Amino acid sequence: MSDERRFTSREARIDAVAHRLLDRLPAAGLLGGLTEFLVFGIKQAFACLFGGAMLALMLATKLFWPEDMGFARYDFLLVAALVIQISLLVFKLETIAEAKVILIFHIVGTVMEIFKTSVGSWIYPEPSIFRIGGVPLFSGFMYAAVGSYLARVTRILDMRYSNYPPLWPTMLLALAIYANFFTHHFVIDLRYALFAITAALFLRTTVHYRVFRFRHRMPLLLGFLLVALFIWFAENIGTWSRAWIYPSQHNGWTPVSLQKLGAWYLLTILSFVLVTLVHRPRNYMAAAGNLSTTNIDAQTTTDVTAGAGSAVPSKS
């Protein structure tokens, strides 16, 4: 994927400035490793722009929202989410395709929120005008934040995959995960079966991602777990701010149970598969005769949903 496709025009200018500052630093040794780590952290934060802004607003409104404001805090969060989303598009920090992903996630998340609050899984304790049943409309943007992050980080880190499964079984898995979030309230919970299917599909899959000068890699299942852990931390911030609460938190905040990590792990996989509808998984192949290299110049790519003959040299 060329830089023109990896970055919006505004992001390309930011990337050019960063290169002018960092290209002078050594590529090898401790300083080279620290540079890669620093750039990785910055790119991760940039990918989290939407979700990070929403969490910051939840904390700020928890701490400083006036009781006599005359405007519901949840409604303010809805307006703020819309403003942030429009700003990302206007300032070319997000693509139209990624905005479509966020819309899909908002709809999918809101439907699940309506059901989950109706069965008492969690509640939104504050009043609001813009709501459906017990669900304020800002809540859908929490799911959208996950989709936004996955879509943006896939593009910004130029993620490519080896041994990625065909698209159709991953879509069936995503549908089964989504259905289980509803059906486990009435019939047997299939989450352990879904964990097993996930392992069978993705056990051999490796994600190769570009940070600065080099490509790095990790098992995709480990990547799912790290994202789920990050979401669990964010959920603790959200519940502490009383943006929503679980039944165990009615009388005061307590940390969210680690058992929720399994649900977030499955939600991460569901989210990732939905994102692949926009950013189709691209196959990674090390250049012939240099199979162990992590240098960004030694690679070719194909769309894993296309035929094997569609390989093209990487321009990154």
Side-chain angles (χ1 to χ4, degrees):
M1 184 184 295
S2 66
D3 283 348
E4 287 79 7
R5 291 180 60 189
R6 285 179 59 220
F7 300 125
T8 65
S9 58
R10 182 63 54 83
E11 290 170 343
R13 288 194 289 271
I14 295 172
D15 185 65
V17 171
H19 271 277
R20 285 198 293 271
L21 293 173
L22 298 173
D23 279 345
R24 309 169 205 171
L25 297 177
L30 178 61
L31 190 55
L34 288 175
T35 300
E36 287 285 308
F37 183 75
L38 173 64
V39 174
F40 179 76
I42 292 172
K43 287 188 172 182
Q44 286 285 344
F46 191 64
C48 290
L49 204 56
F50 182 69
M54 289 302 297
L55 280 177
L57 285 170
M58 288 180 191
L59 286 173
T61 54
K62 161 69 174 176
L63 295 172
F64 306 113
W65 192 257
E67 293 184 3
D68 58 350
M69 182 68 176
F71 187 57
R73 176 186 174 219
Y74 288 168
D75 293 335
F76 169 79
L77 290 173
L78 171 63
V79 172
L82 291 170
V83 169
I84 294 169
Q85 184 53 225
I86 293 170
S87 298
L88 290 174
L89 289 171
V90 169
F91 292 106
K92 299 186 183 303
L93 297 175
E94 184 176 82
T95 67
I96 295 296
E98 288 162 357
K100 292 177 181 178
V101 169
I102 288 175
L103 177 60
I104 293 171
F105 272 86
H106 193 287
I107 295 170
V108 168
T110 300
V111 170
M112 188 157 70
E113 287 283 323
I114 292 169
F115 174 78
K116 288 290 189 177
T117 54
S118 71
V119 297
S121 296
W122 56 79
I123 66 166
Y124 292 88
E126 298 179 22
S128 62
I129 296 174
F130 299 105
R131 64 193 302 126
I132 300 175
V135 180
L137 293 185
F138 90 87
S139 66
F141 281 106
M142 295 298 95
Y143 296 85
V146 177
S148 173
Y149 164 74
L150 289 172
R152 287 167 57 78
V153 80
T154 296
R155 176 171 58 82
I156 292 169
L157 293 183
D158 192 17
M159 290 183 172
R160 311 181 191 195
Y161 307 89
S162 53
N163 300 310
Y164 193 88
L167 192 62
W168 68 265
T170 66
M171 290 301 301
L172 290 178
L173 173 63
L175 288 171
I177 289 172
Y178 189 65
N180 191 65
F181 280 121
F182 296 84
T183 59
H184 81 85
H185 290 277
F186 310 107
V187 295
I188 187 171
D189 188 350
L190 297 176
R191 73 177 62 194
Y192 294 110
L194 293 170
F195 289 149
I197 295 170
T198 298
L201 278 177
F202 294 107
L203 186 61
R204 297 177 60 247
T205 305
T206 300
V207 56
H208 303 257
Y209 54 97
R210 172 182 175 178
V211 177
F212 180 42
R213 293 187 177 100
F214 301 98
R215 280 195 173 275
H216 307 266
R217 63 187 180 185
M218 75 164 64
L220 185 57
L221 288 175
L222 175 59
F224 290 153
L225 180 61
L226 293 175
V227 174
L229 186 62
F230 174 82
I231 296 172
W232 179 80
F233 281 119
E235 187 178 35
N236 275 282
I237 295 173
T239 54
W240 181 86
S241 72
R242 293 186 71 82
W244 69 93
I245 58 173
Y246 289 102
S248 62
Q249 298 170 324
H250 275 287
N251 297 322
W253 183 80
T254 56
V256 176
S257 170
L258 274 173
Q259 291 180 343
K260 290 289 182 183
L261 194 58
W264 284 119
Y265 185 78
L266 292 175
L267 185 69
T268 298
I269 296 166
L270 166 63
S271 303
F272 178 83
V273 172
L274 286 177
V275 167
T276 63
L277 298 179
V278 173
H279 295 304
R280 291 298 176 91
R282 294 166 60 85
N283 195 28
Y284 173 86
M285 294 180 292
N290 196 15
L291 296 179
S292 63
T293 184
T294 56
N295 190 288
I296 61 175
D297 295 323
Q299 60 200 2
T300 58
T301 62
T302 64
D303 184 333
V304 298
T305 62
S310 61
V312 293
S314 170
K315 297 180 182 178
S316 60

